[in-house]
C-alpha cells in the first residue's frame, strides 16, 4: 500500500493544482489501486468539511474541462482523508503514522520552503522517513546557495537523495517533454542543434499579472530568484544539454548539470552589458489601469520585477551562440516560449525585390497560453508567375494540429505527470541536489554583480515588454526579440 500525504493540504497550491490533478488521474484510472490520500494542515476541520472543500475546487476545474464524472469523484472521495497537524512537531504527526501503518509514504510539502528543514526533521522522528518513503519539495528551495544548503542538509539528514523529489512544474508540461522527443527522436534537428546552424536562442516567460499582495515574498526574492533560478534555467538546460545515453533519470540530469557548470559567470564589470533589471511603474495592463510595484508594496523598493540576460554557454556545442532570457510581471502578454533562431542561408540565389526576402528558419516552442511547436520555413508562393516568389509558412508540429479531424487531447495540468512520476519513483523530471546547487551558485554570482555595480532596476510601464534596455540587449548584437507567435 501507499499513502500520499499533502502537507498544506488546504492551501492554495493543493486546492488549485494538486487535488484537481489527482482527480484527473483518478478519472483516467491512472492512480495505484491501493493509494490513500491524506490532507494535512493546521486548520481544525473534520474530514467531511475538508472533502466538501476539495469537491468544490475539483468540480469547478473538471466541469470547465468537460471532465466531471460522479463515478470518478466517488473513487477519489473514497481515498481522501484529513488530519489537523503541526507538521514541525513529531508528536503531532503520530496520528498520520498510525493511519498509514506500514504503507510507503510520499510526503508532498505544499508549504513555505522556510518550514522544510523542521518538517523533514519531524518526519524522520515520527517514522515517516523510512527507506521506502519519499518526500516531494516545491521550489524554490532557499533564496541563495547558503540558505539552500541549510535546508537541503536537513533534507539529506532525513532522506537519501533517491528519496527526494524536487519539483519544477514547468518540467511536467507536455511541450517541454516534447522538446526532448523533438531533439533526440529526429535526425532532422539534432545535427543542426549547435552553434554552426543556430544563430541564437530566446526564452521568454511573460506574465501580465502584477505582484499584488504577494509582495512580502516577492520583495525578498525578485524576478531573478523567483523565475530565473528554477524555471528558466531548467528550460535552458533542456534546450542546450548533450544527448543523454538513455532516459534513465541520472543520465538526463547528468547532462543538465554539465550545462549549468558551463554557464559563463556574469561579473560586476559585465553586468550592465549583459543584464537588465526592471521594475514596473503605473500603466495599462489588459485594458485596465495598473498600479506600480511601489504602490502595491506601499513604499519604494529596489526589487526587480523584470530581468533580461544574455547567457553564454562555454562549451563545444554552443560557443558563439548567445541565449537571451527575459521574464517579468505586468508585461504586454502572458507568454512562455522558447525561440530557436537558425542562421540565414549562406547565399541567396533569389533577388530581394518582388521575389520576396528570405527569412531565416525559426522554431518556436510555446508553453503558455497555448502549447504548440511551430517551424517557420520558406516556401514558393502558389501561382504561375514566371519569377519565382517566396513566402514564409508556419508548420505546426503539435499533435492533432495537422489532423483537422482529430479532437485535441485535454491539456493536462503539469502536476499530473509529476505526481504520477513521484508515486512511481521516477525522478527524471525532478531536480537533483547538485543541479539546484550549481543553479544557485550561478544566480548568486549575478546578484552579487548587481550589488557590486550598484545596479538599480530601470522603470517600465505596466503593459509593455519591459525597459528599453532589454531591446538594446539584443539590438547591440543586431538581433530583436520575437514580437509575435512564430
Amino acid at each position: 500500500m501507499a499513502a500520499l500525504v499533502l502537507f498544506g493540504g488546504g492551501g492554495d497550491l493543493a486546492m488549485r493544482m494538486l487535488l484537481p490533478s489527482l482527480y484527473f488521474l483518478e478519472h483516467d484510472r491512472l492512480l495505484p489501486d491501493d493509494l490513500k490520500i491524506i490532507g494535512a494542515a493546521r486548520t481544525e476541520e473534520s474530514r467531511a468539511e475538508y472533502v466538501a472543500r476539495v469537491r468544490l475546487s475539483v468540480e469547478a476545474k473538471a466541469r470547465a474541462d468537460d471532465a466531471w464524472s460522479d463515478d470518478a469523484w466517488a473513487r477519489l472521495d473514497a481515498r481522501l482523508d484529513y488530519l489537523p497537524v503541526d507538521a514541525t512537531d513529531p508528536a503531532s504527526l503520530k496520528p498520520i503514522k498510525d493511519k498509514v501503518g506500514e504503507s510507503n509514504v510520499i510526503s508532498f510539502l505544499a508549504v513555505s520552503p522556510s518550514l522544510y528543514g523542521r518538517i523533514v526533521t519531524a518526519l524522520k522522528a515520527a517514522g515517516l522517513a523510512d527507506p521506502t518513503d519519499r518526500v516531494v519539495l516545491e521550489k524554490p528551495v532557499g533564496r541563495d546557495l547558503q540558505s539552500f544548503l541549510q535546508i537541503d542538509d536537513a533534507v539529506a539528514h532525513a532522506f537519501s537523495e533517491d528519496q527526494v523529489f524536487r519539483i519544477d512544474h514547468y518540467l511536467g508540461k507536455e511541450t517541454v517533454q516534447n522538446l526532448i522527443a523533438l531533439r533526440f527522436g529526429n535526425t532532422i534537428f539534432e545535427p543542426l542543434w549547435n552553434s554552426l546552424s543556430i544563430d541564437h536562442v530566446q526564452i521568454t516567460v511573460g506574465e501580465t499579472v502584477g505582484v499584488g499582495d504577494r509582495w512580502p515574498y516577492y520583495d525578498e526574492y525578485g524576478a531573478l530568484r523567483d523565475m530565473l533560478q528554477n524555471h528558466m534555467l531548467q528550460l535552458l538546460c533542456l534546450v542546450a544539454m548533450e544527448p543523454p545515453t538513455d532516459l534513465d533519470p541520472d543520465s538526463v540530469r547528468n547532462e543538465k548539470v554539465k550545462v549549468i557548470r558551463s554557464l559563463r559567470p556574469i561579473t560586476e564589470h559585465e553586468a550592465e552589458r549583459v543584464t537588465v533589471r526592471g521594475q514596473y511603474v503605473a500603466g495599462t495592463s489588459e485594458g485596465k489601469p495598473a498600479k506600480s510595484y511601489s504602490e502595491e508594496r506601499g513604499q519604494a523598493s529596489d526589487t526587480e520585477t523584470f530581468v533580461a540576460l544574455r547567457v553564454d554557454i562555454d562549451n563545444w556545442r554552443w560557443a558563439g551562440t548567445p541565449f537571451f532570457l527575459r521574464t517579468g510581471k505586468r508585461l504586454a502578454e502572458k507568454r512562455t516560449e522558447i525561440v530557436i533562431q537558425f542562421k540565414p542561408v549562406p547565399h541567396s540565389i533569389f533577388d530581394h525585390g518582388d521575389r520576396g526576402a528570405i527569412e531565416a528558419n525559426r522554431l518556436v516552442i510555446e508553453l503558455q497560453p497555448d502549447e504548440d511547436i511551430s517551424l517557420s520555413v520558406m516556401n514558393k508562393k502558389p501561382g504561375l508567375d514566371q519569377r519565382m516568389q517566396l513566402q514564409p509558412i508556419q508548420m505546426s508540429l503539435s499533435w492533432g494540429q495537422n489532423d483537422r479531424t482529430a479532437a485535441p487531447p485535454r491539456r493536462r495540468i503539469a502536476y499530473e505527470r509529476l505526481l504520477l512520476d513521484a508515486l512511481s519513483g521516477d525522478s527524471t523530471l525532478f531536480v537533483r541536489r547538485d543541479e539546484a546547487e550549481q543553479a544557485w551558485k550561478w544566480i548568486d554570482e549575478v546578484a552579487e554583480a548587481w550589488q557590486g555595480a550598484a545596479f538599480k532596476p530601470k522603470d517600465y510601464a505596466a503593459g509593455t515588454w519591459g525597459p528599453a534596455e532589454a531591446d538594446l540587449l539584443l539590438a547591440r548584437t543586431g538581433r530583436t526579440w520575437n514580437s509575435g507567435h512564430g
Side-chain angles (χ1 to χ4, degrees):
M1 285 186 62
L4 173 63
V5 183
L6 301 178
F7 290 99
D12 179 67
L13 176 65
M15 289 293 177
R16 195 167 46 87
M17 291 291 180
L18 303 181
L19 289 156
S21 294
L22 289 166
Y23 166 82
F24 287 123
L25 292 173
E26 181 66 77
H27 181 276
D28 295 341
R29 296 184 179 274
L30 295 172
L31 292 179
D33 291 339
D34 59 358
L35 178 71
K36 295 292 291 179
I37 301 167
I38 301 171
R42 290 177 181 271
T43 307
E44 287 287 345
E45 62 182 332
S46 67
R47 177 195 178 277
E49 289 169 328
Y50 177 71
V51 171
R53 288 204 297 130
V54 173
R55 175 166 180 157
L56 277 176
S57 178
V58 164
E59 187 170 356
K61 213 165 187 72
R63 288 197 185 280
D65 284 350
D66 198 25
W68 178 254
S69 158
D70 289 333
D71 183 53
W73 167 253
R75 296 197 307 273
L76 184 67
D77 186 337
R79 298 178 186 272
L80 287 171
D81 207 342
Y82 178 78
L83 289 171
V85 300
D86 174 358
T88 63
D89 178 6
S92 182
L93 294 175
K94 187 176 184 303
I96 292 181
K97 179 60 179 173
D98 292 343
K99 194 169 281 286
V100 300
E102 298 305 309
S103 300
N104 296 336
V105 179
I106 300 97
S107 296
F108 194 119
L109 306 193
V111 298
S112 167
S114 63
L115 297 173
Y116 287 173
R118 292 162 62 197
I119 291 176
V120 294
T121 302
L123 289 173
K124 185 173 177 65
L128 294 168
D130 290 342
T132 56
D133 297 334
R134 300 180 196 120
V135 66
V136 184
L137 308 176
E138 268 288 326
K139 294 178 70 183
V141 179
R143 74 173 299 277
D144 53 22
L145 179 59
Q146 183 181 357
S147 57
F148 166 77
L149 291 175
Q150 285 174 346
I151 294 169
D152 224 59
D153 284 348
V155 174
H157 182 69
F159 294 90
S160 62
E161 180 60 29
D162 63 353
Q163 295 174 273
V164 181
F165 290 71
R166 298 174 193 84
I167 268 194
D168 187 327
H169 72 267
Y170 268 49
L171 299 186
K173 290 181 177 291
E174 193 73 34
T175 314
V176 171
Q177 294 166 68
N178 260 341
L179 175 58
I180 298 173
L182 192 76
R183 281 196 61 188
F184 304 126
N186 296 286
T187 55
I188 298 172
F189 293 111
E190 185 53 28
L192 305 176
W193 210 267
N194 54 53
S195 59
L196 297 177
S197 301
I198 294 176
D199 177 78
H200 72 279
V201 175
Q202 299 177 23
I203 302 176
T204 294
V205 180
E207 298 179 273
T208 54
V209 296
V211 175
D213 56 13
R214 286 184 68 235
W215 73 260
Y217 158 82
Y218 199 86
D219 210 57
E220 185 182 357
Y221 282 75
L224 181 71
R225 293 180 172 92
D226 185 47
M227 293 299 293
L228 256 294
Q229 185 274 335
N230 42 69
H231 304 324
M232 299 193 79
L233 285 187
Q234 286 297 316
L235 296 179
L236 181 145
C237 285
L238 291 176
V239 171
M241 72 182 188
E242 294 298 315
T245 52
D246 51 40
L247 280 181
D248 178 77
D250 276 334
S251 298
V252 174
R253 297 191 297 182
N254 286 345
E255 298 306 333
K256 287 161 65 185
V257 172
K258 289 178 190 175
V259 173
I260 300 174
R261 285 186 170 152
S262 301
L263 299 181
R264 185 180 302 170
I266 292 176
T267 64
E268 181 181 325
H269 301 295
E270 288 278 277
E272 193 156 7
R273 186 180 69 85
V274 298
T275 75
V276 178
R277 294 182 80 200
Q279 186 183 109
Y280 60 83
V281 297
T284 302
S285 178
E286 299 183 308
K288 298 176 182 175
K291 292 180 179 178
S292 67
Y293 176 68
S294 58
E295 286 177 292
E296 290 176 337
R297 187 181 181 276
Q299 65 186 87
S301 165
D302 280 345
T303 299
E304 77 283 349
T305 62
F306 174 94
V307 60
L309 304 172
R310 172 186 169 142
V311 179
D312 288 276
I313 300 174
D314 290 332
N315 65 15
W316 190 283
R317 181 181 292 261
W318 295 112
T321 294
F323 284 65
F324 296 100
L325 280 56
R326 65 174 171 174
T327 183
K329 303 283 188 186
R330 285 279 184 238
L331 296 186
E333 290 177 42
K334 179 181 174 68
R335 190 204 306 174
T336 300
E337 69 179 13
I338 302 166
V339 178
I340 313 295
Q341 181 64 63
F342 290 92
K343 290 182 176 178
V345 293
H347 170 70
S348 174
I349 64 171
F350 307 97
D351 319 313
H352 284 302
D354 56 1
R355 290 184 186 269
I358 290 183
E359 296 178 15
N361 302 131
R362 173 179 284 185
L363 183 68
V364 179
I365 301 154
E366 290 181 55
L367 281 75
Q368 288 186 99
D370 301 310
E371 294 196 40
D372 187 27
I373 300 176
S374 62
L375 179 65
S376 176
V377 298
M378 294 307 297
N379 182 48
K380 177 192 173 296
K381 274 187 179 178
L384 298 175
D385 300 305
Q386 287 187 322
R387 290 169 60 79
M388 184 184 291
Q389 293 184 303
L390 301 178
Q391 64 181 1
I393 63 165
Q394 301 290 336
M395 296 192 303
S396 175
L397 307 181
S398 292
W399 188 93
Q401 296 294 319
N402 297 311
D403 180 2
R404 300 304 175 192
T405 64
R410 178 181 64 80
R411 184 176 172 184
R412 290 192 177 274
I413 303 170
Y415 283 98
E416 293 177 50
R417 159 58 53 197
L418 298 172
L419 281 166
L420 209 55
D421 286 354
L423 290 171
S424 65
D426 184 345
S427 58
T428 306
L429 296 176
F430 295 82
V431 180
R432 204 169 59 193
R433 175 177 170 130
D434 57 343
E435 189 181 340
E437 196 172 324
Q438 286 295 323
W440 273 125
K441 182 172 180 288
W442 189 78
I443 289 293
D444 280 359
E445 289 169 350
V446 177
E448 287 162 14
W450 284 351
Q451 192 173 12
F455 199 38
K456 305 291 185 187
K458 307 288 186 183
D459 289 349
Y460 66 95
T464 66
W465 273 112
E469 287 80 359
D471 292 329
L472 289 174
L473 188 67
L474 273 73
R476 66 170 64 104
T477 69
R479 302 176 173 99
T480 58
W481 290 106
N482 184 39
S483 57
H485 298 295

